[in-house]
Amino acid sequence: MNIITVSREFGSGGRELGKRMADELGYDYYDREIITAIAQRRGLDEKYVENALNRSAQTVYPITFRRSFALPAVVDLPQNELLFEQKKIIDEIAAADRNCIIVGRNADVLLRDKKPFNIFVCADTEAKVRRCIERAEPDEKLSENDILKNMRAIDKNRARTREILSGSKWGDRQSYNLIINTTGWDIKALAKATAGFAASWFSGK
Amino acid sequence: MNIITVSREFGSGGRELGKRMADELGYDYYDREIITAIAQRRGLDEKYVENALNRSAQTVYPITFRRSFALPAVVDLPQNELLFEQKKIIDEIAAADRNCIIVGRNADVLLRDKKPFNIFVCADTEAKVRRCIERAEPDEKLSENDILKNMRAIDKNRARTREILSGSKWGDRQSYNLIINTTGWDIKALAKATAGFAASWFSGK
């Protein structure tokens, strides 16, 4: 079984790259599917699960949580329960023993015993902002400044969660097999090139 | 004209990767050739040129140089003269307008206007040490500790020289198109895969 994990900077096109690589290679593809599965199993709203997991493990519950807010009980599921469910689902994906690509969710860390091929996807800030503007829904137009702020916050949380889970650094060259800067690439052509690269890796194993 | 630059951590196999990629793609290849050309033009010893350029621009001449040592005049060529000669030679390579791969020498920074495809090559520390031990000449057996010390010193100087020349960070994902961790790869197979990847980049331009 070949597992490819894709970690990425927000706005870099990592998700599209992962999806297209899966099509190219005929691999199963997991991304939002994991969020959906957690939400279904725990009877939670998908958006809530996504938001909770996208915050870092340290910051999801402010210390004053219980005193300051009155929220429906369902929201009170501790984040480590969500992380636990996520780990279970990712382990089940690996146990299915089918070639697959998993985008995000720290799958590279969680599945390290399975020796996945780990890709990190980045891009120049300008290219990421442009991408976010192009892809925004008509009702979610944000200023460039707001996009930059969101981008930094999301990436910071991704970095922090990874550090808590693994002790190794998010986006650092020592933590991955391949780091790709998507700036200047057509993602379709890049997916073909990267799929070929990853296939070479597995054929040498 | 397609230019590929290869920057690398000491011991990562970056030089072999560059050479094999050049063979694979039928590109010209430059590495030691640049040192040799500088030495010839300036009437210097190759080893001296190499050592001087491998030290960072800041550290090559200790402040006390003139007072403390009596060295042959030829050694007294300021390092910026060597860097200038190096820049001239790299510009000449680019002006020849032939597809080429340049390993090291900060060619990615010096040729940025030519929009080269910039690769950074790294590896896990353990793999780099093993590589150094395997490739050592019989008369240059070093302890693992000495290898580690050398490795750190050389990489530190590479990082510093780059920072002085460019203001951007050596080995940082924002500074390159692709970062490859060679750990676990057969370099021959990796060269084929990387050559294919780079060829896709140029065919999209």
Side-chain angles (χ1 to χ4, degrees):
Chain A
M1 173 191 39
N2 305 339
I3 302 176
I4 298 172
T5 72
V6 178
S7 312
R8 76 281 184 222
E9 292 178 350
F10 185 77
S12 65
R15 180 180 288 184
E16 186 186 339
L17 177 66
K19 180 78 188 85
R20 288 189 183 276
M21 280 178 68
D23 292 345
E24 195 66 42
L25 293 162
Y27 282 21
D28 291 348
Y29 172 78
Y30 298 97
D31 169 17
R32 288 208 60 81
E33 291 76 1
I34 296 170
I35 304 278
T36 309
I38 299 171
Q40 280 173 353
R41 291 190 190 180
R42 295 290 180 137
L44 293 166
D45 177 64
E46 267 191 56
K47 203 72 208 156
Y48 165 74
V49 173
E50 188 176 17
N51 284 341
L53 286 172
N54 283 355
R55 266 173 236 132
S56 87
Q58 277 184 329
T59 58
V60 67
Y61 285 103
I63 292 161
T64 54
F65 182 75
R66 284 186 179 279
R67 276 183 285 128
S68 311
F69 300 104
L71 286 171
V74 74
V75 180
D76 199 8
L77 193 71
Q79 197 201 26
N80 59 8
E81 282 291 312
L82 294 180
L83 286 171
F84 179 73
E85 194 67 58
Q86 177 172 279
K87 180 169 166 29
K88 250 175 62 187
I89 290 168
I90 289 175
D91 283 343
E92 284 168 27
I93 291 170
D97 206 21
R98 293 167 53 89
N99 295 339
C100 65
I101 295 186
I102 307 176
V103 172
R105 319 261 65 93
N106 292 290
D108 57 327
V109 177
L110 297 174
L111 296 180
R112 63 186 134 203
D113 293 347
K114 304 273 176 191
K115 305 211 178 305
F117 185 76
N118 298 317
I119 300 174
F120 186 91
V121 184
C122 66
D124 299 354
T125 303
E126 205 189 309
K128 289 188 290 185
V129 170
R130 209 180 320 122
R131 196 180 166 83
C132 289
I133 291 172
E134 282 165 15
R135 313 232 142 193
E137 301 290 330
D139 61 340
E140 54 166 28
K141 293 278 177 232
L142 291 172
S143 73
E144 208 175 302
N145 231 351
D146 286 339
I147 291 173
L148 273 171
K149 245 194 256 167
N150 277 357
M151 197 177 272
R152 283 197 202 107
I154 291 171
D155 284 351
K156 198 175 160 188
N157 283 328
R158 285 178 182 170
R160 215 187 282 175
T161 305
R162 186 194 165 91
E163 208 148 302
I164 290 164
L165 288 177
S166 73
S168 76
K169 257 189 154 175
W170 182 82
D172 191 75
R173 63 182 188 267
Q174 298 298 343
S175 310
Y176 306 89
N177 296 91
L178 194 67
I179 299 185
I180 301 169
N181 189 324
T182 62
T183 311
W185 275 99
D186 164 58
I187 300 277
K188 223 164 149 178
L190 177 58
K192 235 185 198 124
T194 312
F197 193 94
S200 299
W201 167 263
F202 289 117
S203 78
K205 295 294 120 186
Chain B
M1 173 192 40
N2 305 338
I3 303 176
I4 297 172
T5 72
V6 178
S7 312
R8 74 281 186 225
E9 290 177 352
F10 184 78
S12 65
R15 180 180 287 184
E16 185 186 340
L17 177 66
K19 181 77 189 86
R20 287 190 183 276
M21 279 178 70
D23 292 344
E24 194 65 42
L25 293 163
Y27 282 21
D28 292 348
Y29 173 79
Y30 297 96
D31 168 18
R32 287 209 61 81
E33 291 76 2
I34 296 170
I35 303 278
T36 309
I38 299 171
Q40 281 172 353
R41 291 190 189 180
R42 295 291 181 138
L44 293 166
D45 177 64
E46 266 190 55
K47 201 75 209 154
Y48 165 73
V49 173
E50 189 175 17
N51 284 342
L53 286 174
N54 283 355
R55 267 173 235 132
S56 88
Q58 278 184 330
T59 57
V60 66
Y61 285 103
I63 292 161
T64 53
F65 181 77
R66 283 184 181 279
R67 276 183 284 129
S68 311
F69 301 104
L71 286 171
V74 74
V75 180
D76 200 8
L77 193 71
Q79 196 201 26
N80 59 7
E81 283 291 313
L82 293 180
L83 286 171
F84 179 73
E85 194 67 57
Q86 177 171 280
K87 180 171 166 27
K88 250 175 63 188
I89 290 168
I90 289 175
D91 283 342
E92 285 168 27
I93 291 169
D97 206 21
R98 293 167 53 89
N99 296 337
C100 65
I101 294 186
I102 307 175
V103 173
R105 317 262 67 90
N106 292 290
D108 56 327
V109 177
L110 297 174
L111 295 180
R112 64 186 132 201
D113 293 347
K114 304 273 177 191
K115 305 209 178 305
F117 185 75
N118 298 316
I119 300 174
F120 187 91
V121 184
C122 66
D124 299 354
T125 304
E126 205 191 310
K128 289 188 291 186
V129 170
R130 209 180 319 122
R131 195 180 167 81
C132 289
I133 290 172
E134 282 166 13
R135 313 231 144 194
E137 301 290 330
D139 61 341
E140 54 166 28
K141 293 277 176 232
L142 291 172
S143 74
E144 207 174 303
N145 232 351
D146 286 340
I147 291 173
L148 272 172
K149 245 194 257 168
N150 277 357
M151 197 177 275
R152 282 196 202 109
I154 292 171
D155 284 351
K156 198 174 161 190
N157 283 329
R158 285 179 183 171
R160 215 187 282 174
T161 306
R162 186 195 165 93
E163 210 147 302
I164 290 163
L165 288 177
S166 73
S168 75
K169 258 187 151 174
W170 182 82
D172 189 76
R173 64 181 187 267
Q174 297 298 342
S175 310
Y176 306 89
N177 296 92
L178 194 68
I179 298 185
I180 300 169
N181 188 324
T182 62
T183 311
W185 275 98
D186 164 58
I187 300 277
K188 225 165 150 178
L190 177 59
K192 236 187 199 116
T194 313
F197 193 94
S200 297
W201 167 263
F202 289 117
S203 77
K205 296 293 119 189

